[in-house]
Amino acid sequence: MKTKSDLQAISTLLGEALSQFAKLFQNEIDLAKAEAGEKVQQIGSAAGFFAAGAVLVIPALVMALFALSAALISAGWSQPGSYLVSAIVAGAVAGVLFAVGMNRLDARNLAPRETMRQLEKDKIIVKEMVR
């Protein structure tokens, strides 16, 4: 039969366990906030690459496309054909730039890995505490 002191000890232990769990949960929230901040910075960096790529490549690409078209016309190609080839080259360059930007925004790179790993550890610790 349980005595009053046994019940008090159990309630004290349960209270301490819940207090520790609350602290652990708050730490996880803080970690998630910090990791989310890092991911926002990563997204900003990727957007910066998009913008820088767009700003820097446009003038150079236009001149290169004019030069390509002029070379094709000098080689005997028709004007529409040479401009079409130039447009296809421009599309390929744009595709590469967008692919690099999308790679930086890949969901696997943006997942809060550290928080997820820590939550798994916490789940194990809470299970141990409950036993």
Side-chain angles (χ1 to χ4, degrees), residues 55-67:
V55 167
L56 294 176
V57 79
I58 290 172
L61 188 57
V62 168
M63 295 307 295
L65 294 173
F66 277 132

Side-chain angles (χ1 to χ4, degrees), residues 42-127:
Q42 188 176 4
I43 290 170
S45 173
F49 277 100
F50 276 130
V55 167
L56 294 176
V57 79
I58 290 172
L61 188 57
V62 168
M63 295 307 295
L65 294 173
F66 277 132
L68 176 62
S69 295
L72 292 175
I73 291 169
S74 294
W77 288 48
S78 69
Q79 281 186 345
S82 65
Y83 291 138
L84 179 62
V85 169
S86 295
I88 291 170
V89 169
V93 170
V96 169
L97 291 173
F98 280 113
V100 169
M102 292 304 290
N103 186 41
R104 290 185 178 269
L105 293 177
D106 188 358
R108 290 173 291 195
N109 294 333
L110 297 175
R113 292 184 191 130
E114 187 64 32
T115 300
M116 291 168 40
R117 187 172 71 233
Q118 193 61 43
L119 285 173
E120 278 298 317
K121 288 180 182 179
D122 293 346
K123 185 171 94 175
I124 293 167
I125 290 170
V126 169
K127 282 183 181 180

Side-chain angles (χ1 to χ4, degrees), residues 16-37:
E16 289 176 9
L18 289 174
S19 174
Q20 291 295 322
F21 177 72
K23 287 179 186 176
L24 183 65
F25 188 71
Q26 183 60 46
N27 288 342
E28 297 311 322
I29 289 173
D30 293 343
L31 176 63
K33 285 179 184 177
E35 199 166 3

